[in-house]
Amino acid sequence: MYIDQVKTIDIPSHEDSRGILSAIEQNIDVPFEIKRVFYIHQIKGTRGNHAPIDTDELLIPITGSFYIKVFDKTSSKVFLLDNPTKGLYIPRLIYLEMYDFTENAVCLVLANTKYDPKQYLRTMDDFLTYIE
Amino acid sequence: MYIDQVKTIDIPSHEDSRGILSAIEQNIDVPFEIKRVFYIHQIKGTRGNHAPIDTDELLIPITGSFYIKVFDKTSSKVFLLDNPTKGLYIPRLIYLEMYDFTENAVCLVLANTKYDPKQYLRTMDDFLTYIE
């Protein structure tokens, strides 16, 4: 199933007496070129609620935790993101909902595209029609 | 002076009832291609204490705050990073020291190179000799 391409990625992390350094290199630790980096913070309610048409992403819970539910045409899965050394790879054309953010949660996202608002399906109906 | 190339960059940020989304696109919001993303967390003591030979960076205080002192051959400057919608651009061949991290501090770094340990000058003496 297409949804099986959504997967947890261990982020190479180096811990010593000074703390932890976690690093992602394009085309090595993520299967794409990193053209855009964004982060959502001071989060209230839900985020996502869309499917990117041409964007592959890696999501990382930098602090705090949240849930993410992903959908393909026929199935769904829920992931808890609560470890800043693990990211969730989500390829294009997966519908996603993010919810139950802790108060301190920050979600970092690496993406393979620059932002184009036309390249998002913003309702489940639009998503299901598009992938029909 | 070369140190004057170190500068604060306002990160395009969109706030609505769901929170804040801050985004950086390569070659637009930072003057380089983003080949590597890393973040330091659970920080104790100081970080940095080196000068990259070929790496330009954007540093962002995702949560918490810290100070950073930057040096070129003849001068130094101190910046307080405490706003997740502002980053500090630091070009290559600037020596940097980071300190006084708050307990919750996370520093996100976007870089124009993949990591090569040979491309760092790890003492002030090595730095001053190199740029002589």
Side-chain angles (χ1 to χ4, degrees):
Chain A
M1 286 190 300
Y2 186 60
I3 204 171
D4 292 335
Q5 294 187 37
V6 176
K7 61 181 180 189
T8 300
I9 288 180
D10 287 323
I11 298 166
S13 295
H14 308 278
E15 182 166 8
D16 62 23
S17 61
R18 302 168 302 157
I20 302 174
L21 188 153
S22 300
I24 304 114
E25 299 195 342
Q26 68 179 14
N27 296 328
I28 296 177
D29 305 303
V30 286
F32 56 75
E33 286 190 13
I34 304 166
K35 294 187 182 163
R36 173 168 48 120
V37 173
F38 62 96
Y39 46 98
I40 50 179
H41 46 124
Q42 296 188 30
I43 306 164
K44 303 162 191 82
T46 69
R47 301 289 314 213
N49 307 306
H50 61 218
I53 293 173
D54 65 352
T55 299
D56 308 317
E57 297 179 324
L58 180 70
L59 281 74
I60 302 164
I62 289 285
T63 66
S65 68
F66 55 90
Y67 288 87
I68 180 160
K69 188 169 184 177
V70 293
F71 304 78
D72 67 7
K73 188 176 180 177
T74 57
S75 58
S76 68
K77 269 190 195 176
V78 172
F79 295 85
L80 169 62
L81 272 67
D82 64 354
N83 182 336
T85 68
K86 291 180 187 294
L88 190 67
Y89 170 71
I90 305 180
R92 65 194 71 188
L93 290 174
I94 290 283
Y95 191 90
L96 62 97
E97 296 174 353
M98 301 158 71
Y99 54 95
D100 281 3
F101 292 91
T102 56
E103 197 176 339
N104 63 336
V106 175
C107 176
L108 176 67
V109 183
L110 314 187
N112 70 319
T113 59
K114 297 193 175 183
Y115 181 65
D116 178 353
K118 294 189 297 295
Q119 297 296 315
Y120 287 80
L121 304 162
R122 297 187 187 277
T123 68
M124 182 64 82
D125 280 352
D126 286 352
F127 171 61
L128 293 173
T129 302
Y130 188 91
I131 61 175
E132 193 62 49
Chain B
M1 283 189 303
Y2 186 62
I3 204 170
D4 292 336
Q5 293 188 39
V6 176
K7 62 181 179 187
T8 299
I9 289 181
D10 287 323
I11 297 167
S13 296
H14 308 279
E15 181 164 9
D16 63 23
S17 61
R18 301 170 302 156
I20 302 174
L21 188 153
S22 302
I24 304 112
E25 299 194 341
Q26 68 179 14
N27 297 327
I28 296 177
D29 304 303
V30 284
F32 56 75
E33 286 191 14
I34 303 167
K35 294 189 182 162
R36 171 168 50 121
V37 173
F38 63 95
Y39 44 99
I40 51 178
H41 46 124
Q42 296 188 32
I43 307 164
K44 302 163 192 81
T46 70
R47 299 290 313 214
N49 307 307
H50 60 219
I53 292 173
D54 65 352
T55 299
D56 308 316
E57 298 179 321
L58 180 69
L59 281 74
I60 302 165
I62 289 286
T63 65
S65 67
F66 55 91
Y67 288 87
I68 180 161
K69 187 168 185 178
V70 293
F71 304 77
D72 66 7
K73 186 175 178 176
T74 57
S75 57
S76 68
K77 267 190 193 176
V78 172
F79 295 85
L80 168 62
L81 272 67
D82 64 354
N83 182 337
T85 68
K86 291 181 187 293
L88 189 67
Y89 170 71
I90 306 181
R92 65 195 69 188
L93 291 175
I94 289 282
Y95 192 90
L96 62 97
E97 295 174 351
M98 302 159 70
Y99 55 95
D100 281 2
F101 292 90
T102 57
E103 198 177 338
N104 64 337
V106 176
C107 176
L108 176 67
V109 182
L110 314 186
N112 71 320
T113 58
K114 297 192 174 182
Y115 180 65
D116 179 352
K118 294 189 296 295
Q119 296 296 316
Y120 287 80
L121 303 162
R122 297 187 187 277
T123 68
M124 183 64 85
D125 280 351
D126 286 350
F127 171 61
L128 292 174
T129 302
Y130 188 91
I131 61 175
E132 194 61 51

